[in-house]
Amino acid sequence: MSTQKIIFLDIDGTLIDYTQQLSQSTREALHLAQIRGHMLMIASGRSKPSIYPWLLNLGFDGMIAGEGAYAEFRGKTIIESAIPQAQISRLYAYLDDQKIGFYEESNSGLHGNRYFLSETARSFGISQEVAAENLQKAFPGLTFDHQDYHLDVNKVSFVMRPGICKAELEEIFGDYFRIGIWNIFGKGRDFGDFTQKHVTKASAVAVLLERLGLNREDTFAFGDSFNDIEMLQYCQTGIAMGNAAEELKAIADHVTNAVTEDGIFNAFKHFGLI
């Protein structure tokens, strides 16, 4: 066991709150952990283009993005696991045919289909202009009105609406994809996503540790949602935020305060990371 720890941190609801703000206490905790020599890694469901540049500029050693489909360490790409063409083409065709608003998350950008903006506006009861502004603030690099699939897609996110049945989607696409439900503002079930069944944050952590020659016993993981469950279980110490889903709290080694209540700082202090 090393005194240097590897700390994997989710973004939304963990590092930042649902107004996309990073608290001063979290900023201080990250800085103090870096001074102590610990490695800091982002581990997000977001794909790389939607991770805020100002967040990356805080000096993280690397990232896991796209639910584990992509990873890099100190500027070097470690994992690139795009959805195969046969799978992304059939998924794109089905969603577009059903006039479901969705966007592809790829390493080159975020590509909304021709229904994504209007469906998002309808879902939130706002104009398309306001929807576009809010979406591009939350997801930098998002563009709209694409009419064909791309070949470097990590995952696909779609707008929930009445009539969309998760069980039906799982019956059609469950041979290859895992279907999840998520939201932007920390409540509700606004969006769903398709991710590759064999790819998770935990699988990416395992590959990173092996490639970099690091020990699993030196790992910490922080998260707040369902897509963090495997990562918290895999890492030596799994920490759920106070605002986390109850299912995550149930499997965590430790539950800290909420993201808006100095949760990261208090947990770093509790475990002697700072």
Side-chain angles (χ1 to χ4, degrees):
M1 181 179 294
S2 171
T3 57
Q4 182 187 52
K5 304 302 179 184
I6 311 102
I7 307 168
F8 295 91
L9 297 134
D10 174 54
I11 294 179
D12 298 278
T14 301
L15 275 172
I16 63 175
D17 62 26
Y18 286 96
T19 64
Q20 290 84 52
Q21 299 300 309
L22 179 78
S23 71
Q24 184 57 42
S25 72
T26 297
R27 188 184 298 269
E28 182 180 0
L30 298 176
H31 177 65
L32 292 174
Q34 289 168 325
I35 291 175
R36 292 282 296 272
H38 302 307
M39 296 183 190
L40 298 178
M41 302 285 295
I42 286 173
S44 180
R46 290 172 176 258
S47 289
K48 183 177 179 179
S50 67
I51 298 176
Y52 303 109
W54 61 261
L55 189 59
L56 295 175
N57 288 339
L58 294 178
F60 286 90
D61 291 277
M63 74 173 76
I64 291 169
E67 299 283 18
Y70 176 83
E72 65 179 50
F73 183 77
R74 294 177 180 170
K76 180 180 179 181
T77 300
I78 306 296
I79 300 170
E80 278 189 294
S81 182
I83 299 171
Q85 183 175 1
Q87 298 294 341
I88 189 61
S89 62
R90 73 173 179 127
L91 178 59
Y92 197 108
Y94 175 87
L95 295 175
D96 204 55
D97 182 66
Q98 297 296 312
K99 298 183 178 179
I100 294 173
F102 67 91
Y103 69 98
E104 300 169 306
E105 298 190 36
S106 73
N107 294 329
S108 61
L110 310 178
H111 313 292
N113 78 329
R114 52 188 163 177
Y115 306 114
F116 179 62
L117 184 56
S118 60
E119 283 292 284
T120 301
R122 177 205 54 78
S123 177
F124 286 95
I126 55 180
S127 70
Q128 291 191 35
E129 291 75 16
V130 172
E133 182 180 350
N134 291 344
L135 285 166
Q136 289 170 329
K137 179 181 177 182
F139 304 110
L142 178 62
T143 56
F144 308 107
D145 295 323
H146 294 272
Q147 298 186 37
D148 201 0
Y149 62 85
H150 294 76
L151 295 178
D152 60 343
V153 179
N154 296 323
K155 57 186 282 197
V156 173
S157 293
F158 63 93
V159 184
M160 291 296 294
R161 72 180 186 207
I164 294 179
C165 176
K166 181 183 175 186
E168 183 177 326
L169 293 176
E170 288 173 335
E171 183 176 347
I172 299 170
F173 295 104
D175 58 327
Y176 187 83
F177 292 100
R178 180 176 59 250
I179 294 93
I181 304 296
W182 57 277
N183 58 75
I184 295 179
F185 303 112
K187 56 184 178 180
R189 297 161 64 86
D190 306 319
F191 295 90
D193 60 26
F194 292 85
T195 57
Q196 301 174 79
K197 291 177 75 172
H198 67 284
V199 171
T200 66
K201 293 182 183 182
S203 68
V205 170
V207 171
L208 275 170
L209 295 179
E210 179 184 4
R211 298 275 181 87
L212 300 175
L214 302 173
N215 294 320
R216 183 176 173 183
E217 63 185 3
D218 294 321
T219 56
F220 284 78
F222 288 76
D224 74 302
S225 195
F226 299 102
N227 66 349
D228 297 311
I229 289 176
E230 295 94 341
M231 181 174 70
L232 264 65
Q233 290 176 320
Y234 181 82
C235 289
Q236 181 69 23
T237 305
I239 300 154
M241 304 301 291
N243 50 282
E246 292 303 317
E247 290 85 345
L248 190 69
K249 291 180 180 179
I251 61 91
D253 298 302
H254 178 75
V255 178
T256 187
N257 304 95
V259 62
T260 55
E261 298 172 353
D262 304 326
I264 294 295
F265 185 93
N266 291 341
F268 275 31
K269 188 173 181 180
H270 175 81
F271 286 100
L273 297 171
I274 58 176

